[in-house]
Amino acid sequence: MLHAGIVGLPNVGKSTLFNTLTKSNVMSGNYMFATTEANFGTVSLPDRRLDVLATMHKSKKIVPTTVEFVDIPGLVSGSSQGEGLGNQFLGSIRDTDAICHVIRCFHDDNVMHVNNKIDPINDIITVQLELNYADLDSVTKRIPKLEKKALVGGASDDKLEYDTLKKIEEALTNDTPIRLMGLDKEEERVIKSYNFLSQKPMLYVANLDESSFKNLENDPLYQSVLKQAEIDQCGVVAICTKFEQELAGLDEVDQKIFMEDLGITESSLNYLIRITYHTLGLETYFTTGEDETRAWTFKTGMTAPQCAGIIHSDFERGFIRAETVSFSDLEKYGSHQKCKEAGKVRLEGKDYKVKDGDVMLFRFNV
């Protein structure tokens, strides 16, 4: 399972966010390094399409897809050299597939800040530089070992790896993370095993207080994060962990009233889960029938046989074709039969790249 790491400086609200997301009880507190070990939690992906399909087919069971989040020990300046809980932080983040960086955008005299100053941009830079420095350390140790092979006519991959690492070294020295370098597919292939930290997709999670959350357009801290995210090519999710904690404790009717009072139609947590899912490069296809309606997670770009293999390896091995209809067409026409009559049901072969929202029935023979 792919998973996203929740990172940030100490006391920015990341463990509170993790607890609310995953309905966990990880320790959080107003002191440095309340989180000392990585904590894992699995969250169901909110998706209204499941309910529509289940109602349409009178399904007995609904199975959503999931996202795994990891609450990672707090980072401080110098973590790449082992300061604070640097080793735990870097070891935990290296195993994640995307990074949710929680950024403090609220003032509270009762909650200390590691730098004694609320400055979201400085926090962003601190975290990014530590990721860069850790990668730079890996690169500078590897280059000398490759240099001889690359320069005396070794294997072509050795030369490409060496040239790519030299390019990365220059970028990191100039504080540019690897994800912003625009590496081509071959360059990405030869460095894949390094699992570089600054190459991972990044999402900024701005944690605000109640009044700021209600007035995002006029909140200077949030607006500064938006501007920085544009430069860094990151998505941004605004959240108020206090609101989300209160919302999580309400029933469905009271949740709706609570959100109406806030002027929102969706929980920020649900939005965060969905954005994280797409940041991980994941999409969803569906199978549906009387027994169950199920969401299946696949990586963007996967073919129909590969997606069939997610259900069972026999489906991929003996793949013949996939009877496919888009969710939007099913919702529009109201039934599979009416979609057939309208010519919206397709028979897709082995080269078909599955799209988000496809409703599929696989034909196979083994």
Side-chain angles (χ1 to χ4, degrees):
M1 177 185 290
L2 298 179
H3 48 267
I6 300 176
V7 309
L9 300 181
N11 296 338
V12 298
K14 62 185 185 60
S15 292
T16 302
L17 173 62
F18 177 82
N19 283 340
T20 312
L21 265 174
T22 63
K23 298 178 176 60
S24 301
N25 192 29
V26 168
M27 183 182 293
S28 60
N30 181 24
Y31 55 91
M32 293 279 283
F33 310 122
T35 302
T36 58
E37 296 180 353
N39 297 284
F40 296 78
T42 302
V43 181
S44 294
L45 180 73
D47 197 328
R48 61 170 288 273
R49 297 174 295 185
L50 278 169
D51 295 322
V52 173
L53 290 172
T55 299
M56 189 181 296
H57 296 92
K58 297 182 174 60
S59 302
K60 298 172 185 174
K61 183 180 178 183
I62 296 176
V63 183
T65 189
T66 57
V67 182
E68 186 168 69
F69 287 90
V70 188
D71 181 31
I72 291 170
L75 172 147
V76 294
S77 181
S79 286
S80 58
Q81 279 78 48
E83 291 294 326
L85 295 172
N87 292 333
Q88 289 97 316
F89 171 87
L90 297 174
S92 299
I93 198 65
R94 199 172 295 282
D95 293 331
T96 66
D97 302 284
I99 300 171
C100 297
H101 179 189
V102 182
I103 301 156
R104 180 169 171 173
C105 294
F106 64 88
H107 295 277
D108 187 338
D109 293 337
N110 295 316
V111 180
M112 64 180 289
H113 188 282
V114 65
N115 296 325
N116 296 314
K117 181 183 179 182
I118 308 303
D119 185 345
I121 303 308
N122 185 65
D123 293 357
I124 287 172
I125 292 171
T126 296
V127 169
Q128 187 60 68
L129 286 179
E130 292 306 316
L131 300 181
N132 290 0
Y133 293 156
D135 287 345
L136 184 58
D137 183 59
S138 298
V139 169
T140 54
K141 287 178 179 176
R142 177 62 176 160
I143 284 176
K145 297 176 182 178
L146 269 178
E147 190 167 20
K148 185 175 180 181
K149 288 193 291 184
L151 298 181
V152 297
S156 59
D157 269 6
D158 289 335
K159 179 71 164 62
L160 179 58
E161 183 181 349
Y162 175 79
D163 290 342
T164 305
L165 291 182
K166 289 294 288 183
K167 186 191 294 189
I168 289 172
E169 181 181 40
E170 181 179 1
L172 293 174
T173 300
N174 290 302
D175 299 334
T176 300
I178 297 170
R179 70 172 187 278
L180 298 182
M181 288 180 59
L183 298 177
D184 63 33
K185 288 184 179 179
E186 281 298 292
E187 290 171 325
E188 289 184 347
R189 179 183 64 80
V190 295
I191 64 166
K192 185 177 180 180
S193 63
Y194 289 90
N195 208 5
F196 285 125
L197 304 181
S198 72
Q199 191 179 13
K200 298 178 187 294
M202 179 80 76
L203 178 68
Y204 293 156
V205 183
N207 189 13
L208 301 109
D209 58 27
E210 301 97 311
S211 60
S212 297
F213 184 74
K214 291 179 180 179
N215 192 24
L216 294 176
E217 290 185 1
N218 296 313
D219 183 72
L221 297 180
Y222 177 69
Q223 290 301 318
S224 70
V225 172
L226 277 184
K227 290 178 182 177
Q228 188 63 41
E230 188 173 350
I231 296 169
D232 296 340
Q233 299 176 31
C234 296
V236 181
V237 175
I239 198 164
C240 173
T241 52
K242 184 175 181 180
F243 279 155
E244 294 299 332
Q245 281 182 308
E246 293 178 21
L247 191 63
L250 302 175
D251 61 31
E252 192 173 335
V253 174
D254 287 339
Q255 282 184 352
K256 188 174 180 181
I257 295 170
F258 190 83
M259 287 191 290
E260 285 175 354
D261 289 342
L262 291 176
I264 59 177
T265 57
E266 179 183 32
S267 157
S268 296
L269 281 187
N270 285 353
Y271 181 63
L272 171 61
I273 295 165
R274 287 193 293 106
I275 294 299
T276 300
Y277 187 75
H278 293 299
T279 299
L280 286 164
L282 303 177
E283 295 184 306
T284 304
Y285 77 85
F286 302 95
T287 56
T288 184
E290 189 175 327
D291 286 338
E292 73 170 25
T293 291
R294 181 184 290 258
W296 300 90
T297 298
F298 69 98
K299 287 283 288 183
T300 302
M302 288 179 70
T303 62
Q306 289 172 326
C307 285
I310 293 170
I311 299 176
H312 196 286
S313 58
D314 284 350
F315 284 27
E316 181 174 7
R317 184 160 53 92
F319 179 88
I320 300 172
R321 61 183 179 273
E323 188 174 293
T324 307
V325 60
S326 70
F327 168 80
S328 58
D329 284 335
L330 260 181
E331 186 175 37
K332 176 181 177 181
Y333 290 96
S335 74
H336 197 272
Q337 182 59 39
K338 288 181 180 178
C339 283
K340 273 190 174 180
E341 293 168 0
K344 298 298 182 181
V345 178
R346 314 180 307 275
L347 294 178
E348 301 291 1
K350 293 182 177 181
D351 295 331
Y352 175 67
K353 291 187 177 180
V354 177
K355 297 179 176 61
D356 184 71
D358 278 348
V359 182
M360 310 189 81
L361 175 64
F362 296 107
R363 304 293 185 187
F364 69 103
N365 182 34
V366 291

